[in-house]
Every structure is written in structure tokens, then in C-alpha cells.
């Protein structure tokens, strides 16, 4: 058994005291990040990357820490959904639908425990799925040449823009902004400067970390200043927390189905955890029928989206690790981490650095148990952290962002760019333009151009070469469908409105 | 409506400028069939096209903040830019306390908690970054400690 020997290798890496400690710290930080409204998984991971980088952790340790934060944030998002009716992060939106009504009926503790267990089931099954599927997919990607990679990048932009946004043209503009920014700097092939306008600071290009922290973290400050910190309503009180065994057992199948739906949604490039929790909730609602009372505080309505959300989070790691194509905003940030650490995701990662991959998978398995322990018995601790007011939290996030980016380069120019990206992110969010495609564009732009140029060198300038293999034709078709189909499906996939008091 | 039309126009104009700038890229003796210009021009063309689409088919207007809130955002922007310039020459503690305090005041306009937030964040983060995480931060301007 290949997998067992690989897992043994993974656990030998993950069970060292230092790695274990990092996993626990990551889980703790992640749950806080997920729970605090205004600090979601993408900006939480984003502001931590520069700091882990300057701390000089090696690749495995940094990855273990950050993926533990990522998993933790997915667990934590539900806490403020249930108690405050404010999703701590975007995928937790669906959890507010039944979680907040449950809390208002005095069952906040039950909702937290059920959703915690559902999160565990989803994340655990997804990690197993990742373990089984990722090596298989890595084997297939050995056959990918430059034209297939180019088509794959197109697919990522198309599905991300198609599914995760309300307006195709705006998503495409966003992707173009990112790709356009990626072109700044020295041309990889010829070594000549492009779009630097004679500015020395732009010769190395725009650091993607600067863009990520600006777009995700700094823009949040502007959003809060605009809303004047209105969303600080303290919701329901949490009483004694007990384990509602009967509800958990009754929603067992719901959790399993939610995990499966979520995992599939997560593996699809561009879909991510929000779609996973949405589909899991909607399919359970359809199975249960109208009489089940979804939306009025049904425990299954809490279990389904949380299982789906966490399974999708694990599923999204599959394309990120095997293809280097992130499936969501947060995995885009994790890809940025890999690139900072000089790790190239893809089939070679599995062949050449098995200790990194399997150490990561083993750590994720361990992190799940740690998170279950933190999120069920210790949930009260995190509820207390929710009471940090925004006027302390957001300046704190800003200062951490500044220090992180400043310690990377020590240049005020990067800080100014970061502030600029923050303002851009705020304006784009007002205009309903998604910002994740910008990040994807900056991350993938150079690889995308390189694969196009390599393909053209191989074919001596024949553009039909891009569509010459069955794999690339399949990817192109999927890209077009992924971009166009949501236009027609949108009337049917309308998100239910969050309940208001 | 009008917001999206302006946005579309700005995107189109920037995209055209981007294309114009791309045609000026210097080529070198190392050449390939695609070259350095094609991909940027392609990006610019797609962006310009989408800008026109947004101009022609705008979404409903978002709710823009009033002048006072916009002023607060502009003020926060100035604070952040000043902070970016001040961090190196002034050391960590003083600019951070001022910037964090001003931001806190913009989010929740009560002077005393805002000032306390500034002081607390500045000292607390300095201790965490310097001693727990080992980042090389300078506390005060260089001249002060001789």
C-alpha cells in the first residue's frame, strides 16, 4: 500500500513536537480569525504570510501552520453566524439561516456543537478524499504540456469569474486587472522591462503579497469606516453548552451528504467553499421537503452547510496542490504562500517533495482532531473573543499588515502600493466587482503567459496547437461552459436572503 | 447606473492606455513567435471590451456613503499614507500609536477609548513582534538613543 507508507512518512514529519505545536497554534489562530467578523480566512491567512516568512520557518512548518489556520478559520466562521447572525466569513453565510433562529430559541449551545461536529465530519472526510484523489490527479497532470496548462488557467479564470460573481463582464475585468499587473516587471523570456515607466521599484514586478494584503485586509478598514462599525450588535447569549446527542445522530446522513457535495464543489476550480455550503444546504432542504422547517432553526440546516463548507475547504486543496490552480480566494492566498516558499505545486511536488505533501496531509488529519476539541468543549473561549470591538480589531489588523509587508522589503513603496490596493479593493467591492480574480491574475499571469509562449515555440507559431489534444479541448469546453452557464442558471441559484430581526 | 457607466469608461480608457503602452515595449534579440507584446495587448483588448459592455449594460447603483463618510475614508487614507512614510524614519512606537488611534477614532468616535487603543496596540504589537516573533523592529527614531 503506497498510501500507508506515504502516510507513515507524513506522520513521522507531523508528529514532531515542533510541528505539532505549530498545528495547534494554527488551529487556535484560525478559529479566532474565522470567528471575528471582518477578518475572514483569506485576509487572515494573507496578513500572516509575510510574518511567517520573516520568522524564517522552513517550507513544511510554514505550510502546516498556515493550512491549520485555513482549516481553523473554516471552523470558526460559524460561531459569529450562529451567535450574531453575521457570517464570520463568506461560506458561513448559509449557517446563519438556521443557526441564528436556533440561537434565538435558546439553543445556541446545541447549534454550536452540532455545527462543530459537522465541521469535523466534513473536514475529516475531505482530508481523506484529498489523500486519495490528489496523487491520482497528480499522475494525470504528468501529461500536461504548455497548451494544456494554458487551457487550465483559462478554466480557472472562467469558472471563478462565472460562478463566484454576479456579472461576467466585471469578473473578466477583474481578471484582466490582475493579469495586467502581473505583466509589470522584467519579461521572463527576453529580460526586458515592461510597464515599469523607468521606476526602479517596479523592476521586480508587484509583489503578490502586497496586493493580497491590500485588497483583502486594508480594504476591510475602509469598509468598516464607511459603515461606522454598525455591525457590532451583540446577539444572543450563550448558556450552558451540552452535547445534543440525538440531534447529532439524526443529522448523520445530512453531514455525510453535505460532505460529499461540498468536497466535489471544492475540487472544481473556481468554486470553493461558498458554493460547497450553498449546494449542501440547498440539497438537504430539497431532500427534507417544505415541512422540515428549514430556515426556522432546524439542526440539519446547521449541519449541512457546515459539513459542506469544511469539505469544500479540503477539496479546494486538491487542485491547488496538484495543478497549482486555486479553487477559491483563500486557496489563492495559500498558493501565494507556496510561491513565497519557492515550492512549485503540481505533479513534481508529489514526486520530489513527498515529505512536504504527506507531512501536510498528516498535519491536517491531526489538526482536525485539535479543532474538534477546541470547537466543542472550548467553544466558550472563542465566544468571548467575539467581543473584541471593531475599533480595536481593525486598526490592529492594519498595523499587523503594515509590519508584515514592511518586514518583507523594508520599503515604503510597497506600503504605499498596499494602501493603494486597499482603496482599490474598497471601490471595487462597492461596484460589485469580485477581487479574487485580481489575485488569481497576479499569481498566475506570468505562468499563463509563459505556457502560451512555450506552446507557440513548440508549434512554431501555429495557434491551433492550443486545441490539439483531447485534454486541452476538454478544458476549453469546460472553461466556456463554466463562464457562460451561470448566466442562465442564476435565476435558479438565487441565494436565500439572510433573516433579519 | 451612472457608477457603472463611469467605471466602464475608466476601465476602457485605462485598457487603451495599457495597449498603447504595450506597443512601446522594447524587444530584444531573443525572440519567440509570441513576443513580449502580444499577451499584454490581448489582456488590454479583453478589458477594453468588457469595459464597453459594463458601460452599455450597467448594474444598479450601489449606495455610496455621504460626504462625511467619504471624508472619513479620505482622512483614513491620508493617515495610512503618512504612516507608510513615517515607519522607517520615526521608528515603530510613535507612528503606530498615532495611526492606530486615529483609525480607531474613525470607526468609533470616542476620543479616550481611541487613544487607549492606539497606545495599547502600539506597545502590545511591538512586544509581540519584537520579542515573541523576533522581527527586527526599531522602537524609536535613531537619533534618540544616541
Amino acid at each position: 500500500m503506497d498510501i500507508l507508507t506515504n502516510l507513515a512518512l507524513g506522520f513521522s514529519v507531523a508528529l514532531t513536537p515542533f510541528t505539532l505545536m505549530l498545528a495547534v497554534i494554527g488551529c487556535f489562530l484560525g478559529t479566532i480569525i474565522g470567528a471575528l467578523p471582518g477578518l475572514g480566512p483569506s485576509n487572515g491567512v494573507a496578513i500572516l504570510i509575510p510574518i511567517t516568512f520573516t520568522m524564517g520557518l522552513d517550507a513544511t512548518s510554514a505550510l502546516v501552520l498556515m493550512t491549520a489556520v485555513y482549516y481553523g478559520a473554516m471552523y470558526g466562521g460559524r460561531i459569529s453566524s450562529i451567535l450574531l447572525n453575521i457570517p464570520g466569513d463568506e461560506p458561513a453565510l448559509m449557517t446563519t439561516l438556521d443557526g441564528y433562529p436556533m440561537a434565538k430559541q435558546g439553543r445556541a449551545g446545541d447549534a454550536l456543537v452540532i455545527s462543530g461536529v459537522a465541521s469535523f465530519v466534513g473536514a475529516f472526510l475531505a482530508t481523506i478524499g484529498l489523500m486519495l484523489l490528489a496523487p491520482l490527479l497528480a499522475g494525470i497532470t504528468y501529461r500536461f504540456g504548455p497548451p494544456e496548462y494554458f487551457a487550465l488557467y483559462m478554466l480557472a479564470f472562467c469558472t471563478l469569474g462565472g460562478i463566484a460573481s454576479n456579472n461576467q463582464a466585471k469578473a473578466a475585468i477583474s481578471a484582466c486587472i490582475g493579469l495586467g499587473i502581473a505583466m509589470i516587471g522584467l519579461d521572463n523570456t527576453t529580460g526586458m522591462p515592461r510597464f515599469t515607466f523607468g521606476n526602479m521599484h517596479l523592476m521586480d514586478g508587484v509583489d503578490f503579497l502586497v496586493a493580497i494584503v491590500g485588497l483583502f485586509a486594508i480594504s476591510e478598514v475602509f469598509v468598516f469606516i464607511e459603515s461606522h462599525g454598525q455591525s457590532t450588535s451583540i446577539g444572543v447569549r450563550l448558556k450552558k453548552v451540552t452535547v445534543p446527542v440525538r440531534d447529532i445522530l439524526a443529522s448523520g446522513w445530512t453531514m455525510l451528504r453535505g460532505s460529499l457535495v461540498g468536497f466535489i464543489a471544492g475540487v472544481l476550480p473556481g468554486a470553493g467553499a461558498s458554493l460547497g455550503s450553498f449546494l449542501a444546504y440547498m440539497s438537504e432542504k430539497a431532500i427534507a421537503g417544505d415541512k422540515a422547517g428549514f430556515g426556522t432553526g432546524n439542526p440539519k440546516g446547521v449541519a449541512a452547510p457546515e459539513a459542506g463548507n469544511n469539505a469544500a475547504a479540503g477539496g479546494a486543496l486538491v487542485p491547488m496542490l496538484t495543478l497549482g490552480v486555486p479553487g477559491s480566494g483563500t486557496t489563492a492566498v495559500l498558493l501565494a504562500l507556496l510561491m513565497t516558499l519557492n515550492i512549485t505545486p503540481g505533479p513534481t511536488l508529489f514526486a520530489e517533495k513527498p515529505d512536504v505533501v504527506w507531512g501536510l496531509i498528516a498535519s491536517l488529519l491531526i489538526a482536525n482532531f485539535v479543532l474538534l476539541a477546541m470547537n466543542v468543549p472550548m467553544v466558550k473561549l472563542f465566544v468571548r473573543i467575539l467581543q473584541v470591538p471593531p475599533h480595536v480589531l481593525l486598526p490592529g489588523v492594519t498595523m499587523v499588515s503594515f509590519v508584515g509587508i514592511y518586514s518583507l522589503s523594508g520599503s515604503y513603496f510597497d506600503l504605499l502600493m498596499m494602501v493603494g490596493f486597499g482603496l482599490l479593493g474598497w471601490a471595487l467591492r462597492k461596484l460589485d466587482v469580485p477581487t479574487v480574480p485580481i489575485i488569481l491574475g497576479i499569481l498566475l499571469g506570468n505562468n499563463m503567459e509563459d505556457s502560451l509562449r512555450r506552446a507557440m515555440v513548440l508549434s512554431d507559431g501555429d495557434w491551433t496547437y492550443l486545441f490539439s489534444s483531447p485534454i486541452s479541448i476538454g478544458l476549453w469546453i469546460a472553461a466556456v461552459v463554466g463562464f457562460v452557464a451561470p448566466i442562465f442558471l442564476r435565476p435558479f441559484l438565487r441565494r436565500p436572503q439572510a433573516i433579519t430581526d | 447606473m451612472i457608477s457603472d457607466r463611469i467605471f466602464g469608461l475608466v476601465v476602457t480608457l485605462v485598457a487603451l492606455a495599457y495597449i498603447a503602452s504595450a506597443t512601446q515595449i522594447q524587444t530584444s534579440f531573443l525572440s519567440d513567435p509570441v513576443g513580449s507584446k502580444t499577451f499584454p495587448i490581448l489582456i488590454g483588448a479583453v478589458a477594453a471590451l468588457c469595459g464597453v459592455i459594463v458601460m452599455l449594460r450597467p448594474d444598479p447603483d450601489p449606495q455610496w456613503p455621504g460626504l462625511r463618510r467619504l471624508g472619513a475614508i479620505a482622512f483614513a487614507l491620508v493617515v495610512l499614507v503618512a504612516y507608510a512614510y513615517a515607519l522607517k524614519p520615526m521608528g515603530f512606537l510613535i507612528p503606530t500609536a498615532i495611526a492606530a488611534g486615529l483609525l480607531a477614532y474613525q470607526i468609533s468616535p470616542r476620543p479616550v477609548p481611541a487613544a487607549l487603543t492606539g497606545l495599547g496596540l502600539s506597545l502590545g504589537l511591538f512586544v509581540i513582534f519584537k520579542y515573541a516573533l523576533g522581527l527586527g523592529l526599531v522602537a524609536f527614531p535613531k537619533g534618540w538613543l544616541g
Side-chain angles (χ1 to χ4, degrees), chain A residues 170 180 194 225 228 430, chain B residues 4 18 32 36 59 63 69:
Chain A
K170 286 182 175 176
R194 294 195 288 185
I225 290 179
H228 217 279
K430 289 302 283 183
Chain B
D4 266 12
Y18 191 80
D32 55 313
S36 323
D59 290 337
Q63 203 182 357
R69 293 285 94 201

Side-chain angles (χ1 to χ4, degrees), chain A residues 54 167 170 173 180 183 187 190 194-195 225-226 228 391 396 399 402-403 406 410 412 416 426 430 453 456, chain B residues 4 18 21 30 32 34-36 43 50 59 62-63 69 73 76 83 85 88 92 104 107 109-110 121 135:
Chain A
T54 34
N167 184 327
K170 286 182 175 176
I173 288 174
M183 295 298 109
D187 181 346
T190 63
R194 294 195 288 185
F195 302 106
I225 290 179
E226 187 198 338
H228 217 279
H391 73 262
M399 300 307 140
F402 267 81
V403 171
Y406 181 72
Y412 71 94
L416 289 180
W426 173 75
K430 289 302 283 183
R453 287 167 83 165
M456 289 302 114
Chain B
D4 266 12
Y18 191 80
S21 164
L30 285 165
D32 55 313
V34 176
S36 323
I43 297 168
C50 292
D59 290 337
Q63 203 182 357
R69 293 285 94 201
I73 289 173
Y83 182 51
Y85 277 108
K88 195 163 199 169
F92 180 80
I107 292 173
R110 283 170 301 158
L121 278 176
L135 302 188

Side-chain angles (χ1 to χ4, degrees), chain A residues 19-31 65 68-69 370 374:
Chain A
T19 320
L20 215 54
M21 181 191 80
L22 286 176
V24 173
I25 295 176
C27 292
F28 187 75
L29 283 177
T31 311
L65 179 67
V69 171
V370 176
M374 281 186 184

